[in-house]
Amino acid sequence: MIVGCAGLRIRVRPKIPDAGQTVSRCLPPRIRAPAHHFHAPRRPSGFNTIISTMNGMKEIAKLGQRLVLLPERAVFWMQAKMLIVADPHFGKAQVFRDCGIPIPGGTTAADINRLSSLMEQLQPDELLVLGDLMHGRIDGGRKFSATVDTWRQRWSGTLITLVTGNHDLRAGPPPAPFRLDRIVAQHVYGPFVFSHKAQTTNSRSRYTIAGHEHPAVFVSGKGHQREILPCFCFGDKRALLPAFGSFTGNQVIRPEPQERVYAVAGDEVVEVALGPRKK
């Protein structure tokens, strides 16, 4: 199915109500600079060429910053050289198995390999996780620890920041092999406020980017094809990112008229036109 072709229409279901609460900032002083004091690091030679040759991506601009939406359900902030993912829910299948539910393994390893492949291409200075790094507490998990440890050793020079999510709070301290550099309630950097649950801001110089809702849109075509596709949703004041984890599930959202939706259709990010709302 080709998303965005003639005859495709988007049907939306009721929007999930905001469950976010204002959280206190827990940030080192050096990352709390006002938006107008933000200075982008110098880009390495040929970096724009690397981005332009990546397949299926979509580049947009917010507050003068370039954001690349990737079909791997991640965002790359060009000026800061920051890779942003939300809701990996690593270890979810194992949590189910620990509860006696026979779920096949391998999803976490596959997701970590996908993340590593992105990092190989983009060489980010920082990896920012917008909450729910872990789905829950894992008992034992030697294979999981070995997988994460190997990945972290490969990217030992990359700063990793976790904005805590609701599942992280229930799971307890993140597994040691992640060797996280920062664990914060909210991450304010440049013109962006990064949080787990979406929050609106009245500031014209700040824009919120969040996860938590696992946003998706329901699409259908002339041939009666129907599909729920994960999506990025960008409004005037905030953006929602799709869940990075492949075993997370999605929630169909009801975008506002001014919001722009970018669906992940296989290996491509495509902007979809929203039809008029039904009363």
Side-chain angles (χ1 to χ4, degrees):
M1 178 177 65
I2 301 175
V3 178
C5 65
L8 181 69
R9 63 185 186 277
I10 303 299
R11 292 171 53 193
V12 294
R13 294 176 183 172
K15 184 178 181 181
I16 300 172
D18 293 334
Q21 298 179 346
T22 302
V23 293
S24 60
R25 295 178 183 176
C26 179
L27 303 170
R30 69 185 182 88
I31 63 173
R32 298 179 64 177
H36 60 277
H37 288 161
F38 175 70
H39 298 289
R42 182 174 298 176
R43 298 270 57 80
S45 176
F47 190 76
N48 286 338
T49 302
I50 294 174
I51 290 294
S52 64
T53 57
M54 294 184 70
N55 295 326
M57 63 85 176
K58 191 79 171 181
E59 184 177 327
I60 65 173
K62 278 293 178 185
L63 298 182
Q65 304 300 304
R66 298 171 62 191
L67 301 176
V68 180
L69 314 185
L70 300 162
E72 290 83 0
R73 303 189 296 280
V75 171
F76 189 70
W77 178 9
M78 290 281 286
Q79 284 90 336
K81 208 180 177 188
M82 178 189 292
L83 180 61
I84 308 161
V85 300
D87 303 283
H89 287 266
F90 290 140
K92 182 175 180 179
Q94 184 167 332
V95 170
F96 275 57
R97 290 194 297 274
D98 289 344
C99 294
I101 303 173
I103 299 293
T107 54
T108 292
D111 287 342
I112 288 179
N113 287 338
R114 180 161 51 95
L115 179 59
S116 192
S117 178
L118 273 179
M119 296 173 74
E120 196 72 54
Q121 295 179 75
L122 298 168
Q123 298 291 314
D125 290 338
E126 180 174 359
L127 171 65
L128 175 61
V129 182
L130 299 184
D132 291 355
L133 175 72
M134 298 295 298
H135 184 75
R137 188 183 303 275
I138 292 179
D139 297 325
R142 293 182 181 179
K143 185 177 180 180
F144 172 84
S145 296
T147 299
V148 174
D149 186 63
T150 300
W151 168 79
R152 192 60 174 112
Q153 288 185 39
R154 168 66 183 86
W155 301 104
S156 58
T158 303
L159 181 72
I160 300 183
T161 300
L162 170 65
V163 176
T164 52
N166 52 303
H167 278 265
D168 298 310
L169 296 175
R170 291 200 296 265
F178 279 109
R179 297 194 289 280
L180 301 176
D181 297 284
R182 289 190 293 233
I183 301 176
V184 297
Q186 188 183 76
H187 189 37
V188 181
Y189 187 26
F192 297 122
V193 177
F194 296 103
S195 61
H196 179 58
K197 296 181 180 180
Q199 304 167 57
T200 56
T201 174
N202 293 323
S203 172
R204 294 183 179 180
S205 61
R206 296 288 192 199
Y207 187 83
T208 298
I209 299 178
H212 180 60
E213 295 191 19
H214 303 194
V217 287
F218 183 83
V219 300
S220 60
K222 284 185 176 180
H224 301 289
Q225 310 99 320
R226 293 187 175 187
E227 192 76 38
I228 293 177
L229 300 177
C231 69
F232 303 85
C233 183
F234 280 80
D236 294 336
K237 295 292 185 180
R238 67 175 190 179
L240 297 177
L241 304 192
F244 181 81
S246 58
F247 184 42
T248 58
N250 298 307
Q251 296 284 353
V252 176
I253 61 172
R254 188 180 185 185
E256 299 294 335
Q258 75 277 10
E259 291 179 322
R260 301 177 70 176
V261 173
Y262 304 87
V264 179
D267 56 0
E268 186 175 7
V269 176
V270 182
E271 184 172 5
V272 293
L274 300 176
R277 283 190 174 189
K278 294 183 179 180
K279 294 183 180 180

